[in-house]
Amino acid sequence: MIEYRIHGRGGQGSVSAAYLLASAAFEAGRMCQAFPAFGAERRGAPVTAFVRTDDKPIELRAQVRRPHYLIVQDDTLLHDEAITAGLRPGGGMVVNSAQDSTEVSAHFGCRALCVPANALAVEMIGRPIPNAVLLSVLLTLTGDLPLDALKSALAKRFSGKVLEGNLKMVDRAAKMAEVGAWKENEDA
Amino acid sequence: MREALEGSQAIARAVTLCKPDVVAAYPITPQTHIVENLSELVAEGDLHTEFVSVESEFSAASVVLGAAAAGARAYTASASQGVLLMAEVLFNIAGLRIPLVMTVANRAVSGPLSIWNDHADSMAVRDSGWIQLHCVSNQEAVDTTIQAFRIAQETDLPVMVCMDGFILTHVMEPIDLPEQSEVDAWLPPFVFDRALDPSDPKSLGMMVTPDYFPEIRHAHHAAMEKALPVIEATDRDWEASFGRACGGLLTVEGDAGARVGILAMGSTVGTLRAGMAEPGAAPARLITLRAFRPFPAKALRDAARGLDHLIVIDRAISPGAGGVVGLEVAAALAGHPDMPRLHNHALGLGGRDIPETIYADLIAAIEDTDAPGFSVFDADLSKLAPEDR
């Protein structure tokens, strides 16, 4: 079982990112589970969402306490040291940020890759919706799911120009990460 | 066909497959997505129903009562304060023996205000006379929703399908939705013999004097008891058609020879299963209670027989008495031979996350006393002033 935790702010689509990742796992023939930890819902408030993927049915309903991977959709959340709480040894986090990956990695003591996902999303789909970029980067690093599964999941959700832009964005984003660089964590 | 769906979305689709004539509901967290999805299905022409947007839960329940009384297949959904606002009508629906189906997206009840999951809402209307079925997963919630329409019309009783708010309603997971033709073949058209019909005038909901009231209450109780085999048979028939079951009245799994049992309702069962499957986990017999009303006392005794200890998990508390399920299990087991010692714990009240370690923690907490008490198991008493502990 691979466990993910997504940190974002209300309105950024943390729950959508979780559902998209779970849908991608489903498209790849894996079992999946995605759910939010809702607080009082309002824009800008920190939001956490969780994803599990596995080859067998997932019974566990607890929140993810020991994630293999983290997605941080907003680098203003990095001020909270607890953001990497429970991250498994050898795990990694993908951050939507223009900050320096080496510095973030050194600060948190874990593998980290910062990608300017908002900028890329604005360039390619005209809106700062970073999900497709962040998921493409994470899946490229981990090899957990093929990018085609992510594209199929996007095709279930979007159509027309929005879909077209997102699909191109997945390919562009994949070039920002080293294929399989975080793969060994799958056995963690 | 299998799809990755959010629980609420799957419920809306399952309701659509049952072709309700009337849907009336008022949105409330965490049930909102069910109503939103139904509304969307109507707008897109996928659900042909009289969708009544009401101004309160009291009206929602009243509309479906009236609709079913007029011979329509009717559906509503609510949670928490919404269920409480419906309470008066819910008792009327059941007391008038009106067959309809309602989803409860289980949530804590105020105060203090909590939008998160526990079972306080459906427990608050425990005595309303509705059938109450609890679901472990979204697949079970979908399948139970469709089964509920059949159970309702076979028993002339309303059925409440209880699913944990957020923990199920907001979870995306793979769901196998039956085809329309399969549901059409499995679920007979709605027929209500006592439907109000101007061409054959009769009344529903008249005042009943003491001459008949006890008899009517007896008949309602008897109808609930007679619903036990109907619930079981409906699930068996579902399994015969669709290849999967929802757990009848209750299910027993795990180590048949174990001395310790754990009983739970709803999504907590999944987390317990995961704990039980951990390498090196202590053996236990896991009892999943699906039917809370009618209460399957005999099946429960059969499931508990031979255990030394039975841990009963509650997601609701009756302050001053203890866990609601725990009290009922104790009543069902009392006076019978070979029954286990009960350990009653409330867990996850107001949405406190139930961690994967809970299975081991519960078993480790078993005390060998003759009179084990009740506890709010995951309460951290150090957060309370000494006088509040």
Side-chain angles (χ1 to χ4, degrees), chain B residues 232-252:
Chain B
E232 270 190 304
T234 305
D235 196 34
R236 272 200 304 274
D237 199 51
W238 178 266
E239 188 176 14
S241 294
F242 297 94
R244 54 178 187 267
C246 295
L249 301 169
L250 57 79
T251 53
V252 182

Side-chain angles (χ1 to χ4, degrees), chain B residues 87-104:
Chain B
E88 179 183 336
V89 189
L90 296 181
F91 277 74
N92 273 301
I93 290 168
L96 300 178
R97 306 281 311 278
I98 302 284
L100 58 85
V101 173
M102 166 176 176
T103 303
V104 173

Side-chain angles (χ1 to χ4, degrees), chain A residues 6-20 38 41-49 71-78 83 94-97 115 117-119 121 125 127-135 157-158 166 169:
Chain A
I6 300 170
H7 296 272
R9 291 187 178 278
Q12 286 183 320
S14 313
V15 184
S16 298
Y19 285 177
L20 192 57
F38 270 115
E41 294 136 316
R42 60 197 190 279
R43 284 195 175 262
V47 173
T48 310
I71 292 176
V72 182
Q73 292 178 309
D74 188 317
D75 64 2
T76 62
L77 293 166
L78 292 178
I83 205 149
V94 172
V95 188
N96 177 14
S97 175
V115 289
N118 273 10
I125 57 171
R127 292 179 65 195
I129 308 290
N131 288 344
V133 175
L134 297 171
L135 291 175
R157 220 179 163 87
F158 303 111
N166 270 285
M169 206 156 70

Side-chain angles (χ1 to χ4, degrees), chain B residues 145-167:
Chain B
T145 299
I146 302 169
Q147 290 186 22
F149 281 101
R150 189 152 127 180
I151 294 167
Q153 64 197 61
E154 276 186 33
T155 59
D156 269 7
L157 288 165
V159 183
M160 213 173 269
V161 179
C162 301
M163 63 189 296
D164 285 319
F166 290 117
I167 301 174

Side-chain angles (χ1 to χ4, degrees), chain A residues 2 8 47 49 62-63 87 104 110 118 127 138 148 163 168 186:
Chain A
I2 313 278
V47 173
Q63 294 181 357
L87 182 66
V104 172
C110 67
N118 273 10
R127 292 179 65 195
L138 181 66
D148 279 350
L163 174 62
K168 280 186 190 155
E186 288 205 34

Side-chain angles (χ1 to χ4, degrees), chain B residues 18-335:
Chain B
C18 297
K19 298 181 175 170
D21 301 299
V22 175
V23 173
Y26 188 80
I28 181 169
T29 302
Q31 156 265 35
T32 308
H33 292 184
I34 297 175
V35 186
E36 283 177 355
N37 274 287
L38 283 167
S39 173
E40 202 172 310
L41 286 160
V42 171
E44 298 197 343
D46 295 325
L47 169 57
H48 303 283
T49 190
E50 190 73 36
F51 186 91
V52 187
S53 288
V54 285
E55 85 297 348
S56 77
E57 287 87 356
F58 188 94
S59 294
S62 301
V63 166
V64 290
L65 190 167
R73 176 171 286 163
Y75 171 82
T76 188
S78 196
S80 186
Q81 311 308 118
V83 174
L84 296 197
L85 188 54
M86 282 183 175
E88 179 183 336
V89 189
L90 296 181
F91 277 74
N92 273 301
I93 290 168
L96 300 178
R97 306 281 311 278
I98 302 284
L100 58 85
V101 173
M102 166 176 176
T103 303
V104 173
N106 281 108
R107 168 185 148 181
V109 166
S110 297
L113 175 62
S114 166
I115 59 166
W116 294 277
N117 164 249
D118 69 28
H119 291 172
D121 48 6
S122 60
M123 285 301 173
V125 292
R126 175 192 69 172
D127 301 334
S128 59
W130 282 61
I131 290 174
Q132 293 185 328
L133 304 175
H134 282 263
C135 307
V136 171
S137 65
N138 281 328
Q139 184 68 61
E140 280 193 16
V142 160
D143 295 351
T144 298
T145 299
I146 302 169
Q147 290 186 22
F149 281 101
R150 189 152 127 180
I151 294 167
Q153 64 197 61
E154 276 186 33
T155 59
D156 269 7
L157 288 165
V159 183
M160 213 173 269
V161 179
C162 301
M163 63 189 296
D164 285 319
F166 290 117
I167 301 174
L168 292 183
T169 55
H170 287 56
V171 166
M172 172 183 274
E173 57 189 6
I175 304 279
D176 197 345
L177 275 174
E179 299 296 326
Q180 185 65 62
S181 58
E182 295 175 310
V183 175
D184 288 346
W186 191 86
L187 179 66
F190 184 71
V191 178
F192 181 41
D193 293 338
R194 291 176 288 122
L196 300 175
D197 178 0
S199 65
D200 176 21
K202 46 183 157 329
S203 261
L204 197 66
M206 304 300 290
M207 184 162 75
V208 172
T209 62
D211 294 337
Y212 281 99
F213 200 86
E215 288 74 21
I216 286 169
R217 280 291 179 261
H218 173 87
H220 190 164
H221 178 60
M224 286 290 264
E225 302 251 282
K226 286 178 200 156
L228 287 164
V230 176
I231 294 165
E232 270 190 304
T234 305
D235 196 34
R236 272 200 304 274
D237 199 51
W238 178 266
E239 188 176 14
S241 294
F242 297 94
R244 54 178 187 267
C246 295
L249 301 169
L250 57 79
T251 53
V252 182
E253 63 194 292
D255 189 334
R259 312 307 298 164
V260 172
I262 305 182
L263 180 145
M265 299 198 302
S267 66
T268 312
V269 170
T271 298
L272 291 169
R273 280 180 186 151
M276 197 161 72
E278 283 288 307
R285 197 188 291 177
L286 180 58
I287 303 171
T288 303
L289 188 60
R290 178 182 185 233
F292 184 67
R293 280 293 179 275
F295 195 78
K298 185 182 175 302
L300 181 63
R301 285 192 289 273
D302 292 341
R305 189 162 289 119
L307 290 170
D308 291 335
H309 301 277
L310 178 59
I311 300 162
V312 180
I313 294 177
D314 256 290
R315 306 294 319 285
I317 174 171
S318 177
V324 183
V325 182
L327 293 165
E328 303 227 350
V329 172
L333 269 46

Side-chain angles (χ1 to χ4, degrees), chain B residues 331-357:
Chain B
L333 269 46
H336 291 269
D338 302 324
M339 289 297 142
R341 218 173 268 172
L342 296 184
H343 307 262
N344 187 201
H345 300 295
L347 270 186
L349 300 181
R352 174 74 54 90
D353 188 52
I354 298 175
E356 48 205 293
T357 50

